[in-house]
Amino acid sequence: DIQLTQSPSFLSASVGDRVTITCRASQGISSYLAWYQQKPGKAPKLLIYAASTLQSRVPSRFSGGGSGTEFTLTISSLQPEDFATYYCQQVNSYPFITFGQGTRLEIK
Amino acid sequence: EVQLLESGGGLVQPGGSLRLSCAASGLTFNSYVMTWVRQAPGKGLEWVSSISTTGGTAYYADSVRGRFAISRDSSKNTLYLQMNSLRAEDTAVYYCAKGLNVDGSAFSYAMDVWGQGTTVTVSS
């Protein structure tokens, strides 16, 4: 199984900050990675797929990068609505997909 | 607008069964891989099962294989998850989700539309 490890697990930041979340895969997965945002009590929302392709109607302050085993999700200027939990997902070994453990982003 | 609406969750005793349903609207249902993902209280996302566009092939996580069965009915635009031999560790919110791509490739297993979730509690 391909394991995904996100860092940090918890992040405290302020509105306007630039933040980066990292997702590391236990083996190379090319660009077969997606990122999701989840707010409390809500379903996840797809933000980015193919490591760096922004999903429709997702604000451009979100960006993704990386390939192989190391990936990043960057929010260029945090907005109040961005405080949430973020998950990476690998689809390289589809249909046996896996998620990272999540990164909780909170207001400082 | 594409919508997914889950139902069928509830409280069940260990060893019991439940069938979850996910009614889809606003999409060509049989064009997309469909997936169930669950989230235990306070925990992260866990892939449970996916089914091919035709319903002919199903895939399961090791934690549910042999106990859960995924199916789909294209005449009703509905996805199902039959859950048997339920355990306390199956307690979670269960989400159904639609695949991003229609070509059956890797990103057919990324999910761009999710239901609101249905809660399953396994307890005596």
Side-chain angles (χ1 to χ4, degrees):
Chain A
D1 290 7
I2 298 175
Q3 311 299 321
L4 297 178
T5 303
Q6 293 182 227
S7 59
S9 295
F10 177 84
L11 181 57
S12 181
S14 302
V15 172
D17 284 354
R18 177 184 179 91
V19 299
T20 296
I21 298 168
T22 298
C23 178
R24 290 185 173 87
S26 59
Q27 64 189 76
I29 59 170
S30 185
S31 296
Y32 291 111
L33 190 97
W35 288 97
Y36 298 84
Q37 176 194 66
Q38 186 181 32
K39 296 181 179 179
K42 300 295 187 182
K45 172 186 175 182
L46 178 65
L47 298 176
I48 287 169
Y49 62 96
S52 60
T53 302
L54 205 62
Q55 173 65 346
S56 176
R57 293 190 294 274
V58 172
S60 59
R61 62 181 179 273
F62 290 91
S63 64
S67 67
T69 60
E70 186 158 330
F71 301 85
T72 57
L73 172 69
T74 297
I75 310 172
S76 60
S77 179
L78 275 172
Q79 299 302 299
E81 60 268 29
D82 299 336
F83 292 93
T85 300
Y86 293 85
Y87 294 93
C88 56
Q89 176 208 16
Q90 67 80 20
V91 295
N92 181 78
S93 61
Y94 78 95
F96 302 102
I97 61 176
T98 50
F99 293 92
Q101 84 279 11
T103 294
R104 184 176 174 188
L105 175 56
E106 291 201 341
I107 300 174
K108 185 181 287 184
Chain B
E1 181 190 6
V2 177
Q3 289 192 320
L4 301 174
L5 183 63
E6 301 99 334
S7 61
L11 175 63
V12 61
Q13 293 188 339
S17 298
L18 276 178
R19 187 176 84 156
L20 307 183
S21 299
C22 171
S25 60
L27 76 164
T28 305
F29 181 66
N30 57 11
S31 292
Y32 297 95
V33 168
M34 297 295 293
T35 294
W36 288 98
V37 173
R38 69 184 180 183
Q39 186 168 37
K43 302 298 185 181
L45 302 173
E46 180 187 14
W47 172 71
V48 173
S49 181
S50 296
I51 188 166
S52 64
T53 55
T54 63
T57 309
Y59 308 97
Y60 300 96
D62 288 346
S63 57
V64 306
R65 187 175 294 115
R67 300 187 298 123
F68 290 11
I70 191 172
S71 61
R72 62 194 299 164
D73 184 337
S74 60
S75 69
K76 297 181 178 179
N77 281 6
T78 301
L79 175 72
Y80 302 100
L81 186 68
Q82 177 67 45
M83 304 187 297
N84 299 327
S85 303
L86 282 161
R87 306 167 179 168
E89 55 264 36
D90 296 318
T91 294
V93 175
Y94 285 73
Y95 296 100
C96 67
K98 163 193 164 291
L100 175 63
N101 285 358
V102 297
D103 59 2
S105 66
F107 286 102
S108 301
Y109 296 85
M111 294 149 280
D112 65 337
V113 179
W114 297 62
Q116 85 290 350
T118 188
T119 300
V120 173
T121 303
V122 184
S123 175
S124 55

